[in-house]
Amino acid sequence: MAGRDIAAGVQLPALVERMRRLHPQHLPGFDQRSWSGLSDKERKRIATGAITLSGLALVGSNALIGLETFLLVQLTLNGGQLRRMLDVDTPVLWAMAGAIVVGTVLNLVFGIIALRPHLNWFLSGASPEPGRREAIGRIPSRQVWGTMAAWAISLGLYLVFSLVLDRGNDEFLVVAGAFSLAAVSSGCLTYIFAERAARPLAVMAMRDQPTPTVRYSVRIRMLAVWLVSSAVPMVGLLAVNLGRHLSLLPPPGGSVDWVSVVIAVIGLAAGTRVVLLVGSALVDPLDDLSKAMDAVNRGDLTTRVAVYDSSELGVLQHGFNEMVGGLAERERMRELFARHVGSPVAEHALAGGDEMSGGTAPSVGVLFVDIAGSTALGANLDPEAVAGLLNRFFTIVAEVIDEHDGLINKFEGDAALAVFGAPVALDDAAAAALRASRDLAERLRQELPIKWGIGVSHGTVFAGEIGAQTRYEYTVIGDPVNECARLSELAKDAKVPVVASGVAVDAAGDEAVNWTRRGALQLRGRPYETELFVPAAEVAGIERQGTATPTVGDLVRGLTRRRLGRTARRR
């Protein structure tokens, strides 16, 4: 009966704490992702703990229930007189004690039989075969049936003893009722303890087969709470009063019916303890989810919770893992998208949904950088070497542009176009582009043994999505884009391979002092001349070396040589 809780009051909290240590969160590296990470020693420790604590729960609960059942039977048969509790009927004592001992041993044997095949599988480290998850989920219910069978056999043994001892039928009915209520109460506790002991097995079984639907509802645990805290003590109380009414039991022998008092106290104590046990079974997975959600909020999308439950909680655990997996996949796609188009454009596109949002006409700084002689590189180097060189070139370009709040609008073969001021506006777009060109020139000169040219321009452009409704890209279109491409072409053969337009320098504010004018030139395809500027530090360095500084004529001759070279190749 539920009265076992008074005797178990000291030992139960310690046993619950030991059971808690079998919870997956207390095991090293123990979650859905670490099946291969458990060593044989860890598996053996977990399996040993599971079977030991399961055995302790079965033996301890049955022994305590048996003791309390005997005491309550004695109290019921003597009319609820506490002073006669020591008047023990020795034959009945031995008969009940023998029956309870045999039942306890059988209960332990049945529990081991229910656990053993799954523990062997657990120790083997094999992947869960079909049906393993369902079988492990049935462990608590199988152990409950084992508990009921053990108590039934105990009652059968007591029946044999009572026949041998020639005891009355009324006494057997009392013992049979007490054993029945004790079996129900013991079965409920067995279910709760077995469920906790089987959690490590359930985690491993559900690793590759998580439960998407409810198999064993939380209502079963609530039913256990109701049976232990309410149904068993109330049915016991009603049975005592019915037995007295039918003259099967003696009436109360004093002014206080101690049988009713003790059953009431037992019901209160049992309710408290079973609520704590079931509450722990419900709170543990919710705690896991709460901690996992905190980790996800901190940006750890590798977080997963162990799925060890086939109830609504298990579905919630599985759903959480699926949700985090989806978030991780979305974040991975977002990162890939940002790598292809740049973070500002990615944010712009995601904010605008899946429709083309048109464009704007901002004033931007534009930088174009191109490698000189890339055709010869392709002819003289291995393709993998060329690819490695280009990757290093573009890495340097991307790092410098990012440092100056620019956007790599596109990579074109061996060239790159960068924009400053779109889609995120900059107050000093021209100055940012000019500073980036000087830093980029220094990095390329130090780290790559190639020739290149950088052109910088400034002006108003169209910035927005271009393409079809099913496929489009963010780009910038306008005269400054064409101008900086022409300036980059000029710069490839100049002594100073960085050339900026006068418009860009005029709009650069304090950055303008770092640039020197070298004349003006009408670029190909343009109706008017462009003023040409080069970094002042570059010019000063050339002058210190005693060589002539680049002039417009140098730039024109360089451009002419490149055009003649292309004409000769076409011929």
Side-chain angles (χ1 to χ4, degrees), residues 120-178:
N120 290 336
W121 161 79
F122 181 84
L123 289 171
S124 71
S127 297
E129 68 275 15
R132 176 68 66 179
R133 178 185 65 186
E134 291 77 8
I136 289 178
R138 289 192 294 268
I139 287 177
S141 59
R142 289 187 63 188
Q143 291 206 358
V144 169
W145 285 113
T147 298
M148 296 298 183
W151 278 96
I153 294 172
S154 297
L155 181 60
L157 289 174
Y158 180 80
L159 175 61
V160 173
F161 290 144
S162 66
L163 291 175
V164 171
L165 297 172
D166 194 22
R167 310 299 296 186
N169 293 332
D170 293 350
E171 183 179 290
F172 175 75
L173 289 176
V174 172
V175 174

Short mmCIF file of all heavy atoms in Angstrom, two decimals, residues 120-178:
data_model
loop_
_atom_site.label_atom_id
_atom_site.label_comp_id
_atom_site.label_asym_id
_atom_site.label_seq_id
_atom_site.Cartn_x
_atom_site.Cartn_y
_atom_site.Cartn_z
N ASN A 120 22.71 -5.66 -23.05
CA ASN A 120 23.70 -6.32 -23.91
C ASN A 120 23.88 -5.56 -25.21
O ASN A 120 25.00 -5.39 -25.70
CB ASN A 120 23.27 -7.77 -24.18
CG ASN A 120 23.38 -8.64 -22.95
OD1 ASN A 120 24.15 -8.35 -22.03
ND2 ASN A 120 22.61 -9.71 -22.91
N TRP A 121 22.77 -5.11 -25.78
CA TRP A 121 22.86 -4.30 -27.01
C TRP A 121 23.60 -3.00 -26.74
O TRP A 121 24.45 -2.57 -27.53
CB TRP A 121 21.46 -4.01 -27.53
CG TRP A 121 21.42 -2.85 -28.47
CD1 TRP A 121 21.78 -2.83 -29.78
CD2 TRP A 121 21.04 -1.51 -28.15
NE1 TRP A 121 21.65 -1.57 -30.30
CE2 TRP A 121 21.20 -0.73 -29.32
CE3 TRP A 121 20.59 -0.89 -27.00
CZ2 TRP A 121 20.90 0.62 -29.36
CZ3 TRP A 121 20.29 0.47 -27.03
CH2 TRP A 121 20.45 1.20 -28.21
N PHE A 122 23.29 -2.37 -25.62
CA PHE A 122 23.93 -1.11 -25.26
C PHE A 122 25.44 -1.29 -25.13
O PHE A 122 26.23 -0.48 -25.62
CB PHE A 122 23.33 -0.60 -23.95
CG PHE A 122 23.89 0.70 -23.48
CD1 PHE A 122 23.40 1.90 -23.94
CD2 PHE A 122 24.93 0.74 -22.55
CE1 PHE A 122 23.92 3.11 -23.49
CE2 PHE A 122 25.44 1.94 -22.09
CZ PHE A 122 24.94 3.13 -22.56
N LEU A 123 25.85 -2.37 -24.46
CA LEU A 123 27.28 -2.62 -24.26
C LEU A 123 27.98 -2.94 -25.57
O LEU A 123 29.18 -2.68 -25.72
CB LEU A 123 27.46 -3.77 -23.27
CG LEU A 123 27.10 -3.47 -21.81
CD1 LEU A 123 27.12 -4.74 -20.98
CD2 LEU A 123 28.04 -2.43 -21.22
N SER A 124 27.27 -3.51 -26.53
CA SER A 124 27.90 -3.87 -27.80
C SER A 124 28.26 -2.66 -28.64
O SER A 124 29.14 -2.71 -29.50
CB SER A 124 26.97 -4.79 -28.60
OG SER A 124 25.85 -4.07 -29.09
N GLY A 125 27.55 -1.54 -28.42
CA GLY A 125 27.82 -0.34 -29.22
C GLY A 125 27.22 -0.38 -30.60
O GLY A 125 27.51 0.48 -31.43
N ALA A 126 26.37 -1.39 -30.88
CA ALA A 126 25.78 -1.53 -32.20
C ALA A 126 24.71 -0.47 -32.43
O ALA A 126 24.13 0.06 -31.48
CB ALA A 126 25.17 -2.93 -32.36
N SER A 127 24.47 -0.16 -33.70
CA SER A 127 23.40 0.78 -34.02
C SER A 127 22.05 0.13 -33.73
O SER A 127 21.92 -1.10 -33.83
CB SER A 127 23.48 1.18 -35.50
OG SER A 127 24.69 1.87 -35.76
N PRO A 128 21.06 0.91 -33.37
CA PRO A 128 19.75 0.33 -33.04
C PRO A 128 19.07 -0.25 -34.27
O PRO A 128 18.91 0.43 -35.28
CB PRO A 128 18.96 1.52 -32.48
CG PRO A 128 19.63 2.73 -33.04
CD PRO A 128 21.08 2.38 -33.21
N GLU A 129 18.70 -1.52 -34.20
CA GLU A 129 18.00 -2.15 -35.29
C GLU A 129 16.52 -1.78 -35.24
O GLU A 129 16.04 -1.27 -34.23
CB GLU A 129 18.19 -3.67 -35.24
CG GLU A 129 17.50 -4.34 -34.05
CD GLU A 129 18.35 -4.33 -32.80
OE1 GLU A 129 19.34 -3.57 -32.76
OE2 GLU A 129 18.01 -5.08 -31.86
N PRO A 130 15.76 -2.04 -36.31
CA PRO A 130 14.32 -1.73 -36.29
C PRO A 130 13.62 -2.42 -35.13
O PRO A 130 13.83 -3.59 -34.86
CB PRO A 130 13.83 -2.28 -37.65
CG PRO A 130 15.04 -2.24 -38.53
CD PRO A 130 16.21 -2.55 -37.61
N GLY A 131 12.79 -1.68 -34.45
CA GLY A 131 12.04 -2.22 -33.33
C GLY A 131 12.72 -2.02 -31.99
O GLY A 131 12.07 -2.21 -30.93
N ARG A 132 13.99 -1.66 -31.95
CA ARG A 132 14.70 -1.49 -30.69
C ARG A 132 14.11 -0.33 -29.89
O ARG A 132 13.95 -0.43 -28.67
CB ARG A 132 16.19 -1.25 -30.95
CG ARG A 132 17.01 -0.98 -29.71
CD ARG A 132 17.12 -2.20 -28.81
NE ARG A 132 17.88 -3.27 -29.46
CZ ARG A 132 18.15 -4.44 -28.90
NH1 ARG A 132 17.70 -4.67 -27.66
NH2 ARG A 132 18.84 -5.37 -29.55
N ARG A 133 13.81 0.76 -30.58
CA ARG A 133 13.26 1.92 -29.88
C ARG A 133 11.94 1.56 -29.19
O ARG A 133 11.73 1.89 -28.02
CB ARG A 133 13.02 3.05 -30.87
CG ARG A 133 12.42 4.30 -30.25
CD ARG A 133 12.10 5.33 -31.31
NE ARG A 133 11.07 4.84 -32.21
CZ ARG A 133 10.67 5.47 -33.30
NH1 ARG A 133 11.25 6.60 -33.65
NH2 ARG A 133 9.73 4.98 -34.05
N GLU A 134 11.05 0.86 -29.91
CA GLU A 134 9.77 0.49 -29.33
C GLU A 134 9.95 -0.46 -28.16
O GLU A 134 9.25 -0.37 -27.14
CB GLU A 134 8.87 -0.14 -30.40
CG GLU A 134 8.39 0.83 -31.47
CD GLU A 134 9.45 1.15 -32.50
OE1 GLU A 134 10.52 0.49 -32.47
OE2 GLU A 134 9.23 2.06 -33.32
N ALA A 135 10.90 -1.39 -28.29
CA ALA A 135 11.12 -2.36 -27.22
C ALA A 135 11.63 -1.68 -25.96
O ALA A 135 11.20 -2.00 -24.84
CB ALA A 135 12.10 -3.44 -27.68
N ILE A 136 12.55 -0.73 -26.11
CA ILE A 136 13.06 -0.01 -24.95
C ILE A 136 11.96 0.86 -24.33
O ILE A 136 11.88 0.99 -23.11
CB ILE A 136 14.29 0.82 -25.34
CG1 ILE A 136 15.48 -0.11 -25.62
CG2 ILE A 136 14.66 1.82 -24.24
CD1 ILE A 136 16.73 0.59 -26.07
N GLY A 137 11.11 1.42 -25.18
CA GLY A 137 10.00 2.20 -24.65
C GLY A 137 9.02 1.37 -23.84
O GLY A 137 8.31 1.91 -22.97
N ARG A 138 9.01 0.06 -24.08
CA ARG A 138 8.10 -0.81 -23.33
C ARG A 138 8.71 -1.35 -22.04
O ARG A 138 8.06 -2.09 -21.29
CB ARG A 138 7.66 -1.99 -24.20
CG ARG A 138 6.71 -1.61 -25.33
CD ARG A 138 6.11 -2.84 -25.96
NE ARG A 138 7.11 -3.66 -26.64
CZ ARG A 138 7.42 -3.57 -27.93
NH1 ARG A 138 6.80 -2.65 -28.66
NH2 ARG A 138 8.33 -4.35 -28.48
N ILE A 139 9.98 -1.02 -21.75
CA ILE A 139 10.63 -1.53 -20.54
C ILE A 139 9.84 -1.17 -19.28
O ILE A 139 9.58 -2.04 -18.43
CB ILE A 139 12.08 -1.02 -20.44
CG1 ILE A 139 12.96 -1.75 -21.47
CG2 ILE A 139 12.65 -1.24 -19.03
CD1 ILE A 139 14.39 -1.26 -21.50
N PRO A 140 9.44 0.11 -19.06
CA PRO A 140 8.69 0.41 -17.83
C PRO A 140 7.40 -0.39 -17.69
O PRO A 140 7.10 -0.91 -16.61
CB PRO A 140 8.41 1.92 -17.97
CG PRO A 140 9.49 2.43 -18.85
CD PRO A 140 9.73 1.33 -19.85
N SER A 141 6.65 -0.51 -18.79
CA SER A 141 5.39 -1.27 -18.69
C SER A 141 5.65 -2.75 -18.45
O SER A 141 4.92 -3.41 -17.70
CB SER A 141 4.57 -1.06 -19.96
OG SER A 141 5.28 -1.50 -21.12
N ARG A 142 6.71 -3.29 -19.04
CA ARG A 142 7.03 -4.70 -18.78
C ARG A 142 7.44 -4.91 -17.33
O ARG A 142 7.09 -5.92 -16.71
CB ARG A 142 8.16 -5.15 -19.71
CG ARG A 142 7.76 -5.28 -21.17
CD ARG A 142 8.87 -5.89 -22.00
NE ARG A 142 9.14 -7.26 -21.56
CZ ARG A 142 10.17 -7.99 -22.01
NH1 ARG A 142 11.02 -7.46 -22.88
NH2 ARG A 142 10.36 -9.22 -21.58
N GLN A 143 8.17 -3.97 -16.78
CA GLN A 143 8.55 -4.10 -15.37
C GLN A 143 7.34 -3.96 -14.46
O GLN A 143 7.27 -4.58 -13.39
CB GLN A 143 9.63 -3.08 -15.02
CG GLN A 143 10.96 -3.36 -15.67
CD GLN A 143 12.13 -2.79 -14.88
OE1 GLN A 143 11.95 -2.16 -13.87
NE2 GLN A 143 13.33 -3.07 -15.35
N VAL A 144 6.36 -3.16 -14.86
CA VAL A 144 5.13 -3.06 -14.08
C VAL A 144 4.40 -4.40 -14.08
O VAL A 144 3.94 -4.88 -13.03
CB VAL A 144 4.23 -1.94 -14.63
CG1 VAL A 144 2.84 -2.02 -14.00
CG2 VAL A 144 4.84 -0.58 -14.35
N TRP A 145 4.31 -5.01 -15.26
CA TRP A 145 3.67 -6.33 -15.31
C TRP A 145 4.45 -7.35 -14.49
O TRP A 145 3.87 -8.23 -13.84
CB TRP A 145 3.55 -6.81 -16.75
CG TRP A 145 2.46 -6.12 -17.52
CD1 TRP A 145 2.61 -5.28 -18.58
CD2 TRP A 145 1.06 -6.22 -17.27
NE1 TRP A 145 1.39 -4.82 -19.01
CE2 TRP A 145 0.41 -5.39 -18.22
CE3 TRP A 145 0.28 -6.89 -16.34
CZ2 TRP A 145 -0.97 -5.25 -18.27
CZ3 TRP A 145 -1.11 -6.74 -16.38
CH2 TRP A 145 -1.72 -5.94 -17.33
N GLY A 146 5.78 -7.23 -14.48
CA GLY A 146 6.58 -8.12 -13.65
C GLY A 146 6.29 -7.91 -12.17
O GLY A 146 6.22 -8.86 -11.39
N THR A 147 6.12 -6.63 -11.78
CA THR A 147 5.79 -6.33 -10.39
C THR A 147 4.44 -6.92 -10.01
O THR A 147 4.27 -7.52 -8.93
CB THR A 147 5.78 -4.80 -10.18
OG1 THR A 147 7.09 -4.29 -10.43
CG2 THR A 147 5.37 -4.45 -8.76
N MET A 148 3.45 -6.75 -10.89
CA MET A 148 2.13 -7.31 -10.62
C MET A 148 2.19 -8.84 -10.50
O MET A 148 1.56 -9.44 -9.61
CB MET A 148 1.15 -6.91 -11.73
CG MET A 148 0.89 -5.42 -11.83
SD MET A 148 0.14 -4.77 -10.31
CE MET A 148 -0.11 -3.06 -10.78
N ALA A 149 2.96 -9.45 -11.39
CA ALA A 149 3.08 -10.91 -11.34
C ALA A 149 3.75 -11.36 -10.05
O ALA A 149 3.35 -12.37 -9.44
CB ALA A 149 3.87 -11.39 -12.55
N ALA A 150 4.79 -10.61 -9.62
CA ALA A 150 5.48 -10.99 -8.38
C ALA A 150 4.54 -10.89 -7.18
O ALA A 150 4.52 -11.77 -6.31
CB ALA A 150 6.69 -10.08 -8.18
N TRP A 151 3.74 -9.84 -7.12
CA TRP A 151 2.79 -9.70 -6.01
C TRP A 151 1.70 -10.77 -6.09
O TRP A 151 1.22 -11.27 -5.06
CB TRP A 151 2.17 -8.31 -5.99
CG TRP A 151 3.07 -7.30 -5.33
CD1 TRP A 151 3.93 -6.45 -5.92
CD2 TRP A 151 3.15 -7.06 -3.93
NE1 TRP A 151 4.59 -5.69 -5.00
CE2 TRP A 151 4.12 -6.03 -3.75
CE3 TRP A 151 2.53 -7.60 -2.80
CZ2 TRP A 151 4.48 -5.55 -2.50
CZ3 TRP A 151 2.88 -7.11 -1.54
CH2 TRP A 151 3.84 -6.10 -1.40
N ALA A 152 1.29 -11.13 -7.30
CA ALA A 152 0.28 -12.18 -7.45
C ALA A 152 0.83 -13.52 -6.96
O ALA A 152 0.13 -14.29 -6.28
CB ALA A 152 -0.16 -12.28 -8.91
N ILE A 153 2.07 -13.80 -7.30
CA ILE A 153 2.70 -15.04 -6.82
C ILE A 153 2.84 -15.01 -5.30
O ILE A 153 2.64 -16.02 -4.61
CB ILE A 153 4.06 -15.24 -7.52
CG1 ILE A 153 3.85 -15.49 -9.02
CG2 ILE A 153 4.82 -16.41 -6.89
CD1 ILE A 153 5.14 -15.51 -9.81
N SER A 154 3.21 -13.83 -4.76
CA SER A 154 3.30 -13.69 -3.29
C SER A 154 1.95 -14.02 -2.64
O SER A 154 1.89 -14.73 -1.62
CB SER A 154 3.72 -12.28 -2.92
OG SER A 154 5.01 -11.98 -3.40
N LEU A 155 0.88 -13.50 -3.23
CA LEU A 155 -0.45 -13.76 -2.67
C LEU A 155 -0.78 -15.25 -2.77
O LEU A 155 -1.38 -15.83 -1.85
CB LEU A 155 -1.50 -12.92 -3.40
CG LEU A 155 -2.94 -13.07 -2.90
CD1 LEU A 155 -3.03 -12.67 -1.43
CD2 LEU A 155 -3.89 -12.21 -3.75
N GLY A 156 -0.38 -15.86 -3.90
CA GLY A 156 -0.63 -17.30 -4.04
C GLY A 156 0.12 -18.10 -2.99
O GLY A 156 -0.43 -19.07 -2.42
N LEU A 157 1.36 -17.71 -2.71
CA LEU A 157 2.12 -18.40 -1.67
C LEU A 157 1.47 -18.21 -0.30
O LEU A 157 1.40 -19.15 0.51
CB LEU A 157 3.56 -17.87 -1.64
CG LEU A 157 4.45 -18.27 -2.82
CD1 LEU A 157 5.79 -17.56 -2.73
CD2 LEU A 157 4.66 -19.79 -2.83
N TYR A 158 0.98 -16.99 -0.05
CA TYR A 158 0.31 -16.77 1.23
C TYR A 158 -0.95 -17.62 1.34
O TYR A 158 -1.28 -18.13 2.42
CB TYR A 158 -0.04 -15.30 1.43
CG TYR A 158 -0.72 -15.03 2.73
CD1 TYR A 158 0.03 -14.93 3.90
CD2 TYR A 158 -2.11 -14.93 2.82
CE1 TYR A 158 -0.59 -14.72 5.13
CE2 TYR A 158 -2.73 -14.73 4.04
CZ TYR A 158 -1.97 -14.62 5.18
OH TYR A 158 -2.58 -14.43 6.39
N LEU A 159 -1.65 -17.79 0.20
CA LEU A 159 -2.84 -18.64 0.21
C LEU A 159 -2.47 -20.07 0.61
O LEU A 159 -3.17 -20.71 1.41
CB LEU A 159 -3.51 -18.62 -1.16
CG LEU A 159 -4.71 -19.57 -1.36
CD1 LEU A 159 -5.82 -19.22 -0.37
CD2 LEU A 159 -5.23 -19.50 -2.79
N VAL A 160 -1.35 -20.55 0.05
CA VAL A 160 -0.90 -21.90 0.41
C VAL A 160 -0.59 -21.97 1.90
O VAL A 160 -1.00 -22.93 2.60
CB VAL A 160 0.32 -22.31 -0.43
CG1 VAL A 160 0.89 -23.64 0.07
CG2 VAL A 160 -0.05 -22.40 -1.90
N PHE A 161 0.15 -20.96 2.40
CA PHE A 161 0.48 -20.96 3.83
C PHE A 161 -0.78 -20.92 4.69
O PHE A 161 -0.88 -21.61 5.71
CB PHE A 161 1.36 -19.75 4.17
CG PHE A 161 2.75 -19.84 3.63
CD1 PHE A 161 3.40 -18.70 3.17
CD2 PHE A 161 3.42 -21.05 3.57
CE1 PHE A 161 4.67 -18.76 2.67
CE2 PHE A 161 4.70 -21.13 3.08
CZ PHE A 161 5.34 -19.99 2.62
N SER A 162 -1.75 -20.08 4.28
CA SER A 162 -2.96 -19.96 5.09
C SER A 162 -3.76 -21.25 5.10
O SER A 162 -4.38 -21.60 6.11
CB SER A 162 -3.83 -18.81 4.56
OG SER A 162 -4.32 -19.11 3.27
N LEU A 163 -3.73 -22.00 3.98
CA LEU A 163 -4.42 -23.29 3.95
C LEU A 163 -3.71 -24.29 4.86
O LEU A 163 -4.35 -25.07 5.57
CB LEU A 163 -4.49 -23.81 2.52
CG LEU A 163 -5.42 -23.03 1.56
CD1 LEU A 163 -5.30 -23.59 0.15
CD2 LEU A 163 -6.86 -23.07 2.04
N VAL A 164 -2.37 -24.25 4.80
CA VAL A 164 -1.61 -25.17 5.65
C VAL A 164 -1.83 -24.83 7.11
O VAL A 164 -1.96 -25.72 7.98
CB VAL A 164 -0.11 -25.13 5.28
CG1 VAL A 164 0.71 -25.91 6.29
CG2 VAL A 164 0.09 -25.66 3.88
N LEU A 165 -1.86 -23.53 7.41
CA LEU A 165 -2.02 -23.09 8.80
C LEU A 165 -3.48 -23.08 9.23
O LEU A 165 -3.76 -22.78 10.40
CB LEU A 165 -1.43 -21.69 8.97
CG LEU A 165 0.09 -21.56 8.73
CD1 LEU A 165 0.49 -20.09 8.74
CD2 LEU A 165 0.86 -22.34 9.78
N ASP A 166 -4.38 -23.36 8.29
CA ASP A 166 -5.81 -23.40 8.56
C ASP A 166 -6.31 -22.07 9.12
O ASP A 166 -7.00 -22.01 10.14
CB ASP A 166 -6.14 -24.54 9.54
CG ASP A 166 -7.63 -24.84 9.59
OD1 ASP A 166 -8.31 -24.48 8.60
OD2 ASP A 166 -8.10 -25.38 10.59
N ARG A 167 -5.92 -20.99 8.43
CA ARG A 167 -6.39 -19.67 8.84
C ARG A 167 -7.76 -19.41 8.22
O ARG A 167 -8.16 -20.02 7.22
CB ARG A 167 -5.42 -18.57 8.38
CG ARG A 167 -3.97 -18.84 8.76
CD ARG A 167 -3.77 -18.94 10.24
NE ARG A 167 -4.05 -17.67 10.91
CZ ARG A 167 -3.83 -17.43 12.20
NH1 ARG A 167 -3.34 -18.40 12.97
NH2 ARG A 167 -4.10 -16.27 12.72
N GLY A 168 -8.50 -18.46 8.71
CA GLY A 168 -9.84 -18.18 8.22
C GLY A 168 -9.84 -17.47 6.88
O GLY A 168 -8.87 -16.82 6.49
N ASN A 169 -11.01 -17.60 6.19
CA ASN A 169 -11.15 -16.94 4.90
C ASN A 169 -11.18 -15.43 5.03
O ASN A 169 -10.73 -14.71 4.14
CB ASN A 169 -12.43 -17.44 4.20
CG ASN A 169 -12.36 -18.90 3.81
OD1 ASN A 169 -11.27 -19.42 3.56
ND2 ASN A 169 -13.51 -19.57 3.75
N ASP A 170 -11.75 -14.94 6.14
CA ASP A 170 -11.82 -13.48 6.32
C ASP A 170 -10.42 -12.88 6.37
O ASP A 170 -10.17 -11.82 5.78
CB ASP A 170 -12.56 -13.16 7.62
CG ASP A 170 -14.04 -13.54 7.54
OD1 ASP A 170 -14.49 -13.85 6.42
OD2 ASP A 170 -14.70 -13.52 8.58
N GLU A 171 -9.53 -13.53 7.06
CA GLU A 171 -8.15 -13.02 7.13
C GLU A 171 -7.50 -13.03 5.76
O GLU A 171 -6.79 -12.09 5.40
CB GLU A 171 -7.36 -13.88 8.11
CG GLU A 171 -5.93 -13.40 8.31
CD GLU A 171 -5.18 -14.25 9.31
OE1 GLU A 171 -5.51 -14.17 10.51
OE2 GLU A 171 -4.27 -14.99 8.87
N PHE A 172 -7.75 -14.08 4.97
CA PHE A 172 -7.16 -14.13 3.62
C PHE A 172 -7.70 -13.01 2.75
O PHE A 172 -6.96 -12.41 1.95
CB PHE A 172 -7.44 -15.49 2.97
CG PHE A 172 -6.96 -15.56 1.55
CD1 PHE A 172 -5.61 -15.68 1.25
CD2 PHE A 172 -7.87 -15.44 0.49
CE1 PHE A 172 -5.18 -15.71 -0.06
CE2 PHE A 172 -7.43 -15.48 -0.82
CZ PHE A 172 -6.08 -15.62 -1.11
N LEU A 173 -9.00 -12.68 2.87
CA LEU A 173 -9.56 -11.60 2.08
C LEU A 173 -8.91 -10.27 2.43
O LEU A 173 -8.65 -9.44 1.56
CB LEU A 173 -11.07 -11.52 2.31
CG LEU A 173 -11.91 -12.66 1.71
CD1 LEU A 173 -13.37 -12.50 2.09
CD2 LEU A 173 -11.76 -12.70 0.19
N VAL A 174 -8.64 -10.08 3.73
CA VAL A 174 -7.97 -8.84 4.15
C VAL A 174 -6.57 -8.76 3.53
O VAL A 174 -6.16 -7.73 2.99
CB VAL A 174 -7.90 -8.75 5.68
CG1 VAL A 174 -7.04 -7.56 6.11
CG2 VAL A 174 -9.29 -8.62 6.26
N VAL A 175 -5.82 -9.88 3.62
CA VAL A 175 -4.47 -9.90 3.07
C VAL A 175 -4.50 -9.74 1.55
O VAL A 175 -3.67 -9.03 0.96
CB VAL A 175 -3.75 -11.20 3.47
CG1 VAL A 175 -2.39 -11.30 2.78
CG2 VAL A 175 -3.57 -11.25 4.98
N ALA A 176 -5.47 -10.38 0.90
CA ALA A 176 -5.57 -10.28 -0.56
C ALA A 176 -5.84 -8.83 -0.98
O ALA A 176 -5.26 -8.32 -1.95
CB ALA A 176 -6.68 -11.20 -1.07
N GLY A 177 -6.74 -8.15 -0.26
CA GLY A 177 -7.00 -6.74 -0.58
C GLY A 177 -5.78 -5.87 -0.36
O GLY A 177 -5.46 -4.98 -1.17
N ALA A 178 -5.07 -6.13 0.77
CA ALA A 178 -3.88 -5.34 1.05
C ALA A 178 -2.80 -5.58 0.00
O ALA A 178 -2.15 -4.63 -0.47
CB ALA A 178 -3.36 -5.68 2.44
#
